[in-house]
Amino acid sequence: MKAKHQRLTLVLLAVVAVIAAGLLALSALRDQAAFFYAPGDVAKGVPVGKAVRLGGMVEKGSLKRAADGVTQTFVVTDGVAQVPVRFAGIAPDLFREGSGVVAEGSFLADGSFKATNLLAKHDERYMPPEVAGAMHKSKSLAP
């Protein structure tokens, strides 16, 4: 075998190894990746029961606490649509009405969202990039 053929064989083996590594990484991430949705995306269809993230602003006047003290219901909006959210647990200290939130959980069959974790913004200027992008697309983000 000529040296030229040996180099070509090594290059082909390297390409096959890189593709195999990429496929293995994608298959490992398939179950771990959580996709992000804005409330306006719900009308387009969302996966029911699959772990996803929902981001937007907590609508003012929508936050209600249940008698058990740990269950909270509120509405997440992006200025276009609203999604009712139910969360049972300890909310972050910065979680409040009118602030940005990213809720991790899953959509229910009725279009509502059951959150298992809440991520609140940490100052008045910060907004998660996914939320800012979704609100910018819907033109509901104030300049």
Side-chain angles (χ1 to χ4, degrees):
M1 186 180 277
K2 293 181 180 179
K4 180 179 178 182
H5 290 115
Q6 288 177 344
R7 285 192 300 262
L8 182 62
T9 302
L10 287 176
V11 169
L12 289 175
L13 285 175
V15 169
V16 169
V18 168
I19 291 172
L23 291 175
L24 286 174
L26 285 176
S27 70
L29 287 174
R30 181 171 290 167
D31 294 333
Q32 300 297 321
F35 295 101
F36 179 84
Y37 291 92
D41 296 334
V42 174
K44 299 173 190 168
V46 291
V48 175
K50 187 174 179 181
V52 295
R53 289 181 172 181
L54 172 71
M57 306 297 284
V58 179
E59 192 168 83
K60 290 186 179 181
S62 68
L63 182 60
K64 296 179 177 53
R65 296 183 194 277
D68 62 3
V70 293
T71 303
Q72 301 175 38
T73 58
F74 54 94
V75 174
V76 174
T77 182
D78 61 356
V80 175
Q82 294 83 27
V83 174
V85 177
R86 180 179 182 92
F87 173 69
I90 299 172
D93 291 338
L94 297 175
F95 175 75
R96 60 182 172 269
E97 294 178 346
S99 66
V101 66
V102 174
E104 297 175 339
S106 59
F107 284 99
L108 303 177
D110 63 356
S112 65
F113 192 81
K114 181 180 179 184
T116 56
N117 189 25
L118 294 179
L119 306 170
K121 69 178 189 176
H122 52 76
D123 74 11
E124 67 274 358
R125 292 173 289 165
Y126 175 76
M127 181 174 294
E130 297 92 351
V131 175
M135 293 184 77
H136 184 70
K137 283 182 187 174
S138 69
K139 299 185 184 341
S140 62
L141 182 63

